[in-house]
Amino acid sequence: MSLEKQYQALELELAADDPWRLDGNPFERERHTQMLRLSLSQEGITNALEVGCAAGAFTEKLAPHAQRLTVVDLMPRAIGRACQRTKRWSHITWIASDILEFSSAESFDLIVVAEILYYLSDVEQMRTAIQNLVRMLAPGGRVVFGSARDATCRRWGHAAGAETVIAIFKETLTEIERLHCQGASSNEDCLLVLFRKEGRASDQSNIRP
């Protein structure tokens, strides 16, 4: 599926009251519960990045635990819905951007990227996006990654899914924990992984020179 067609499909899905059933589906609620548990595996989140906010279901869970939170999404409509949902917090920065183009002068001690990378057109774009994210990750920082599995993503028409992306992340990061979430539908089958970047947080300040 072309990027333009994917964009149009996402726009249509975002028009629903509960896009992708992120609030109403027990599988999605459990996925978010486990993502939050992995995100909170280190003491204190100073500066977090969430890549892809959908309608803000996970943003709402993560926001209370981070001193600062940057949220990046390609879809302005998604940002609008997530911003409305989390308006009680003032420490969230919203950025409409393609993950391949997004960059930050700041480094992040937590990056959450779930159900997003398979939208890229091929594995090389996935690798480029991962390299970009790892560059912005502080020494000692963590990545929480989640995705439908390779076979499911390819059935949906995408280039690859969880297993392929995990292998790319492991080229530069250390895998700390992995778990399998599965629901009643064949589409409800994903892997969640916690990665760590080697080094100590004191090796690098939060602001790059």
Side-chain angles (χ1 to χ4, degrees), residues 9-205:
L10 289 169
E11 277 287 338
L12 289 173
E13 289 171 327
L14 280 164
D17 289 338
D18 182 11
W20 307 287
R21 300 178 62 212
L22 297 180
D23 292 309
N25 186 344
F27 166 76
E28 297 293 355
R29 292 200 301 269
E30 174 63 14
R31 186 172 68 86
H32 283 173
T33 295
Q34 294 301 330
M35 284 170 55
L36 185 62
R37 180 183 66 79
L38 294 175
S39 298
L40 300 180
S41 62
Q42 59 188 32
E43 289 187 8
I45 302 170
T46 301
N47 197 22
L49 171 66
E50 182 186 13
V51 181
C53 61
F58 185 73
T59 313
E60 186 176 37
K61 293 178 173 62
L62 180 61
H65 302 284
Q67 293 181 29
R68 299 194 305 280
L69 174 59
T70 299
V71 180
V72 177
D73 198 292
L74 176 65
M75 310 293 293
R77 187 169 188 172
I79 289 176
R81 291 191 61 163
C83 185
Q84 183 65 23
R85 183 168 181 158
T86 59
K87 61 184 179 181
R88 61 189 178 278
W89 290 293
S90 60
H91 65 293
I92 305 176
T93 300
W94 305 92
I95 299 174
S97 175
D98 186 324
I99 187 54
L100 293 170
E101 299 176 356
F102 172 71
S103 64
S104 173
E106 294 184 295
S107 59
F108 300 96
D109 54 330
L110 172 68
I111 296 176
V112 179
V113 53
E115 307 299 330
I116 289 296
L117 294 179
Y118 55 67
Y119 284 111
L120 298 174
S121 61
D122 55 42
V123 173
E124 283 310 305
Q125 283 198 350
M126 293 176 182
R127 183 181 299 277
T128 298
I130 290 166
Q131 291 171 344
N132 187 33
L133 292 174
V134 171
R135 179 186 60 79
M136 291 184 284
L137 186 65
R142 308 286 178 107
V143 170
V144 174
F145 166 72
S147 173
R149 299 171 76 108
D150 274 352
T152 304
C153 289
R154 288 172 180 143
R155 191 173 71 247
W156 293 343
H158 302 303
E163 293 91 339
T164 296
V165 172
I166 290 167
I168 297 172
F169 268 119
K170 289 179 71 172
E171 293 172 3
T172 50
L173 303 180
T174 301
E175 181 178 333
I176 303 299
E177 183 178 347
R178 183 187 304 200
L179 59 96
H180 179 203
C181 291
Q182 189 166 19
S185 163
S186 61
N187 288 330
E188 297 174 345
D189 186 6
C190 77
L191 296 176
L192 300 176
V193 183
L194 175 66
F195 297 100
R196 181 181 184 275
K197 188 174 185 177
E198 294 306 314
R200 297 177 299 174
S202 59
D203 291 343
Q204 178 178 312
S205 67

